[in-house]
Amino acid sequence: MITKTILEQIEGEASLYFDMKGNIVDFVTIAFPHFRGMEKMLEGKNAMDALVITPRVCGICGHSHLLASVRAIEDAYKNSDSVVEITNKAAKVREITLVLEIIQNHLKWIYLVLVPHLRELSESEELLNTPLKGAYGASFATKILAIFAGQWPHSSYMVPGGITSDFTYVDLTKAKSHLQKLTEYFEAETLGASVEEFLSFESCKDFAPLESDFAKIEQLLIDLEMHKKGHAKDTFLSIGIHEFSHAAKVKGTKLFKVASKYVETQDAYAPDEKSYAKNALYKNQFYETGPLARCMAKEFKLIKNMHRRFKDSAYTRVMARIYETAYLLGFCKKLLDEINISEASCRETIPLKNISGTGEGVVEAPRGPLIHRVQIKEGIIKSYEIITPTQYNIASATKENPSPAQQAMLHCSQADAKFIFRTFDVCSVCTTH
């Protein structure tokens, strides 16, 4: 019997069609029913308009789209024999705002998605439903974002050649103060340990002394046997080039070189409803993307220990997102300390009307690799393609070759499958761009 569920409380909504055998999921197809047409809107517009329009693809990861867009335009400059070089100051600020966007996304996901649905599934009162914790923690990140980017979300402060903001030492001091408060809040309310202590853990046994939201989440996941459920393809993909990540494809625990040119899309298999999302594949194979993929590519000891014990289970996927939040808080502090405020924010480039060519921008967004591909003729966009992380994780394919999310939901109850689906941190609005 096939049953339809419209899944909300994700970014946007998705339709899941469960093919059940008794009470067990035998197969699932996924449809994203909304069309937005952002790529079509860009055709015929000045390429600089992409820096205003693409951040509006998503209200959560607008900075990721902005960075992917400006990288694509700068790549088109390079392919037109006009290389754009930015200062270290501009490069670090671009990274800081991207990292902060990932942190605020993870905090909201933990308290607005994970905790409520974990409580519902476990019927436990042990973990309090405190959505404002996520919103309050994320507010510190957005205050720092506003210092460098002017606003959040939907800022357009990155341009070919650098950034438009020219901040002062006072601004930089404020940013460091907000980050310190955010770190202390995360340590007290979520981890129950300092970031340094948490990142020094190498085994799940190290969690034992903790009494915190993290410890309760970990115990509930074990109680629900999520360490035995939600296994996907055990293949991972991290493509974006950043200081905080390592570009690689991972099969099991083995790392291989990766190149974005091998990423392609195909129509989704959604026989019961029109879907406006396309599947994303690497060399015609499905890979999981996002925090777990990045942690596996960086070979963090704790996540490798979890993977050795529980593989790519729902448990490991959730733990990787919390671990990455702690890691990125420490990394962001390092970046802020390294900024040389006397450097230029932006370098002049030749007029865009002199640029004709193609360009590609690749970024590690909160949920994984985000790719923007642009074709420009005399400064005008001829074509624009956006490939988002959810297109890898939540692709809808056939029973013979399921996507990571489809694979992870097999052989579970429908209630477990819906929870496991959410462990991928689904973004419908990005996917139906």
Side-chain angles (χ1 to χ4, degrees):
M1 181 179 71
I2 296 177
T3 61
K4 176 183 178 180
T5 296
I6 297 176
L7 210 65
E8 298 173 328
Q9 291 184 295
I10 55 176
E11 278 296 303
E13 62 181 41
S15 300
L16 302 184
Y17 288 85
F18 289 100
D19 189 351
M20 306 295 294
K21 277 192 175 180
N23 295 322
I24 301 300
V25 175
D26 189 53
F27 187 54
V28 189
T29 57
I30 307 159
F32 293 94
H34 300 130
F35 176 73
R36 302 176 68 208
M38 304 292 277
E39 293 162 329
K40 282 292 179 187
M41 279 185 224
L42 288 162
E43 292 178 5
K45 288 187 167 54
N46 188 294
M48 291 293 280
D49 287 357
L51 305 179
V52 177
I53 294 173
T54 61
R56 285 158 174 79
V57 169
C58 182
I60 291 291
C61 52
H63 265 61
S64 305
H65 283 282
L66 175 61
L67 182 54
S69 188
V70 78
R71 281 185 171 184
I73 296 171
E74 289 175 345
D75 192 43
Y77 267 89
K78 185 184 75 174
N79 293 334
S80 300
D81 297 323
S82 181
V83 175
V84 175
E85 293 184 355
I86 65 174
T87 62
N88 285 330
K89 173 184 171 183
K92 289 189 184 299
V93 172
R94 287 180 178 185
E95 288 284 282
I96 287 168
T97 54
L98 175 66
V99 165
L100 287 165
E101 185 168 82
I102 296 174
I103 290 170
Q104 64 83 29
N105 174 79
H106 290 358
L107 283 171
K108 289 177 180 172
W109 180 83
I110 291 167
Y111 285 104
L112 276 73
V113 177
L114 173 66
V115 169
H117 291 284
L118 196 54
R119 278 170 50 89
E120 180 183 349
L121 191 61
S122 63
E123 298 180 347
S124 170
E125 300 294 326
E126 180 71 17
L127 186 60
L128 297 178
N129 188 12
T130 51
L132 289 180
K133 278 190 180 181
Y136 184 70
S139 71
F140 288 113
T142 53
K143 285 178 182 175
I144 307 171
L145 283 163
I147 288 172
F148 296 115
Q151 67 177 59
W152 187 90
H154 310 320
S155 75
S156 299
Y157 86 106
M158 300 179 204
V159 293
I163 57 176
T164 58
S165 57
D166 195 17
F167 47 90
T168 65
Y169 277 114
V170 173
D171 294 326
L172 190 58
T173 302
K174 285 181 180 176
K176 291 179 180 180
S177 174
H178 289 315
L179 184 68
Q180 180 64 28
K181 290 176 182 174
L182 171 56
T183 303
E184 291 172 356
Y185 183 78
F186 185 64
E187 291 172 340
E189 297 294 333
T190 309
L191 297 182
S194 70
V195 164
E196 289 77 13
E197 182 185 4
F198 184 77
L199 294 178
S200 71
F201 293 162
E202 297 184 5
S203 165
C204 304
K205 296 176 182 175
D206 296 332
F207 302 152
L210 299 182
E211 295 182 3
S212 61
D213 288 349
F214 170 79
K216 293 171 184 174
I217 290 169
E218 200 261 351
Q219 187 56 56
L220 285 178
L221 290 169
I222 294 292
D223 293 346
L224 291 167
E225 298 192 329
M226 285 297 162
H227 57 304
K228 300 177 182 177
K229 303 173 184 174
H231 296 94
K233 315 287 281 190
D234 207 21
T235 56
F236 310 98
L237 192 66
S238 174
I239 308 179
I241 305 298
H242 304 279
E243 281 189 57
F244 68 85
S245 63
H246 177 65
K249 67 175 181 179
V250 187
K251 293 188 173 184
T253 56
K254 293 184 178 179
L255 274 61
F256 301 88
K257 291 182 179 178
V258 70
S260 59
K261 65 181 181 181
Y262 295 115
V263 175
E264 296 180 335
T265 61
Q266 63 174 210
D267 290 337
Y269 174 71
D272 299 298
E273 184 176 356
K274 173 68 175 177
S275 179
Y276 290 97
K278 288 192 171 185
N279 300 340
L281 301 94
Y282 185 86
K283 288 190 174 181
N284 210 33
Q285 292 185 343
F286 286 115
Y287 287 82
E288 179 171 348
T289 68
L292 177 54
R294 287 193 289 263
C295 287
M296 291 297 292
K298 287 286 286 186
E299 298 186 293
F300 290 125
K301 289 182 179 178
L302 178 61
I303 303 303
K304 287 188 70 175
N305 176 269
M306 290 179 181
H307 179 266
R308 180 176 58 78
R309 297 176 66 188
F310 310 130
K311 299 299 181 186
D312 57 338
S313 63
Y315 171 95
T316 312
R317 192 170 300 116
V318 170
M319 292 293 103
R321 185 163 281 110
I322 298 174
Y323 183 91
E324 185 176 68
T325 306
Y327 164 67
L328 291 179
L329 282 168
F331 181 77
C332 191
K333 181 179 184 304
K334 171 181 170 293
L335 285 179
L336 285 171
D337 289 340
E338 290 175 349
I339 286 180
N340 179 356
I341 202 168
S342 64
E343 286 187 284
S345 294
C346 191
R347 287 173 171 159
E348 190 173 352
T349 58
I350 66 170
L352 194 56
K353 64 182 181 181
N354 297 324
I355 299 301
S356 295
T358 60
E360 180 183 80
V362 186
V363 169
E364 281 297 319
R367 300 165 179 86
L370 169 67
I371 298 177
H372 283 212
R373 290 169 177 161
V374 65
Q375 181 183 8
I376 299 171
K377 185 175 181 181
E378 296 175 350
I380 302 298
I381 296 172
K382 304 302 291 182
S383 67
Y384 206 99
E385 181 184 20
I386 302 173
I387 302 174
T388 66
T390 299
Q391 290 178 247
Y392 303 86
N393 289 333
I394 318 294
S396 189
T398 62
K399 194 172 184 178
E400 291 73 26
N401 184 29
S403 70
Q406 286 176 301
Q407 178 77 43
M409 289 188 282
L410 296 179
H411 315 308
C412 296
S413 68
Q414 197 171 126
D416 280 353
K418 290 176 187 175
F419 177 80
I420 290 166
F421 185 75
R422 287 188 167 94
T423 64
F424 288 91
D425 190 12
V426 183
C427 185
S428 170
V429 293
C430 269
T431 303
T432 55
H433 50 268

